[in-house]
């Protein structure tokens, strides 16, 4: 889904919705519609502007989610256990951010 991918890449770059909209020359409301899945077929021109601003390609924006069928059984069990124990996507994203921060601090000390 393009909206999910777009939101992910925007967050990875650290852009707010307003910032990305301004940098790409797209209205904030239109960008919000794309991210929320209301607008499912943005024009190629809009996709090119967004891809350029996010340092990616239109093809990357349009790619479907990576095939996760090759995950080993241990990963699948860990994910199921996390879900069963009430870990939300936000919790996981927070933990992932923490681990990235922790690793960056570790690299600075080396």
């Amino acid at each position: 889904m393009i909206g999910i991918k777009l939101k992910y890449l925007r967050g990875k770059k650290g852009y707010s919705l307003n910032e990305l909209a301004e940098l790409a020359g797209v209205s904030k409301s239109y960008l919000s519609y794309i991210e929320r899945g209301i607008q499912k077929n943005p024009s190629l021109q809009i996709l090119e502007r967004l891809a350029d601003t996010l340092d990616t390609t239109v093809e990357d924006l349009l790619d479907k989610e990576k095939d996760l069928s090759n995950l080993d059984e241990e990963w699948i069990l860990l994910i199921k256990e996390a879900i069963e124990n009430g870990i939300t996507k936000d919790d996981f994203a927070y933990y992932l951010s923490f681990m990235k921060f922790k690793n960056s601090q570790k690299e600075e000390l080396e």
Side-chain angles (χ1 to χ4, degrees), residues 17-32:
L17 195 66
N18 286 336
E19 289 171 320
L20 179 57
E22 187 174 316
L23 290 168
V26 177
S27 79
K28 176 184 164 189
S29 60
Y30 190 70
L31 183 55
S32 175

Side-chain angles (χ1 to χ4, degrees), residues 26-78:
V26 177
S27 79
K28 176 184 164 189
S29 60
Y30 190 70
L31 183 55
S32 175
Y33 286 165
I34 296 170
E35 285 191 2
R36 292 185 292 148
I38 295 169
Q39 171 53 265
K40 297 179 194 287
N41 296 310
S43 71
L44 186 56
Q45 182 182 16
I46 296 293
L47 291 175
E48 286 174 342
R49 284 194 248 160
L50 290 168
D52 286 346
T53 305
L54 294 168
D55 296 321
T56 191
T57 64
V58 171
E59 291 78 18
D60 186 41
L61 283 178
L62 295 175
D63 270 350
K64 294 182 179 174
E65 291 183 35
K66 301 253 187 270
D67 181 14
L68 299 179
S69 63
N70 62 349
L71 282 179
D72 65 45
E73 187 64 25
E74 188 176 3
W75 270 110
I76 293 169
L77 291 173
L78 283 170

Side-chain angles (χ1 to χ4, degrees), residues 2 4 8 25 29 42-43 47 61 82 87 93 107 110:
I2 189 169
I4 293 169
Y8 168 77
S29 60
S43 71
L47 291 175
L61 283 178
I87 294 177
E107 288 173 5
E110 293 176 349

Side-chain angles (χ1 to χ4, degrees), residues 90-104:
D90 287 340
D91 294 335
F92 184 77
Y94 176 80
Y95 177 73
L96 186 58
S97 295
F98 171 74
M99 291 306 297
K100 287 178 183 177
F101 171 76
K102 184 178 169 186
N103 289 337
S104 71

